[in-house]
């Protein structure tokens, strides 16, 4: 991972804090550190055979956490009453990507799409006690 840009930026922020000491500059230094941890998590995740690494904050303490792949939901039974049909128009590149994913997993394109829609139908964020799981958008 290319850490030089983070280290240089952090060094500049520390020098600015020492000179001025304002709250905005201190917050900027913390965000740069989180950026560096996020880059590290992405790079490590790219080298793992399965699962991924996340940056989690506990209070103000960041931690890198390994998250294993969750078990795939069971495939719908052939006689579960699936009778609805829809027509879905996709860009050719997305269609090819879906077909490749389905072939790699050894399932039909329909099963792959039904599984993806089932995961997303309940919303993007799931709450369990004090813990949130899902995806955020800024």
């Amino acid at each position: 991972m290319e850490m030089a840009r983070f280290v240089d930026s952090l060094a500049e922020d520390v020098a600015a804090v020492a000179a001025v000491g304002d709250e905005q500059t201190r917050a900027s230094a913390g965000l740069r550190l989180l950026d560096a941890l996020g880059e590290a998590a992405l790079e490590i995740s790219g080298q793992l055979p399965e699962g991924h690494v996340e940056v989690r904050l506990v209070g103000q303490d960041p931690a890198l956490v390994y998250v294993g792949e969750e078990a795939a939901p069971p495939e719908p039974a052939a006689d579960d009453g699936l009778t609805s049909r829809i027509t879905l128009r996709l860009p050719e590149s997305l269609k090819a990507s879906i077909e490749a994913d389905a072939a790699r997993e050894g399932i039909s394109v329909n099963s792959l799409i039904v599984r993806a829609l089932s995961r997303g139908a309940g919303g993007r964020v799931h709450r369990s006690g004090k813990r949130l799981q899902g995806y955020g958008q800024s």
Side-chain angles (χ1 to χ4, degrees), residues 86-107:
I86 63 169
T87 300
L88 180 63
R89 299 185 191 282
L90 303 171
E92 193 61 40
S93 60
L94 178 58
K95 180 180 179 277
S97 176
I98 291 171
E99 289 171 338
D101 288 348
R104 186 175 45 253
E105 294 188 33
I107 60 175

Side-chain angles (χ1 to χ4, degrees), residues 9-93:
S9 295
L10 190 54
E12 290 173 13
D13 288 343
V14 170
V17 167
V20 179
D22 69 343
E23 190 61 35
Q24 184 178 2
T25 307
R26 279 189 282 266
S28 176
L31 291 175
R32 290 190 193 278
L33 180 58
L34 287 177
D35 284 344
L37 290 173
E39 289 287 325
L42 287 173
E43 186 166 319
I44 293 168
S45 294
Q47 297 174 11
L48 295 172
E50 62 181 43
H52 63 279
V53 174
E54 295 179 349
V55 178
R56 294 187 182 169
L57 291 175
V58 179
Q60 292 185 352
D61 298 327
L64 295 174
V65 178
Y66 171 77
V67 179
E69 294 294 322
E70 55 186 63
E75 296 293 320
D79 61 347
D80 67 355
L82 295 177
T83 58
S84 297
R85 289 181 166 262
I86 63 169
T87 300
L88 180 63
R89 299 185 191 282
L90 303 171
E92 193 61 40
S93 60

Side-chain angles (χ1 to χ4, degrees), residues 70-76 111 114-116 118-119:
E70 55 186 63
E75 296 293 320
S111 294
V114 167
R115 184 174 70 192
S118 296
R119 286 181 182 162

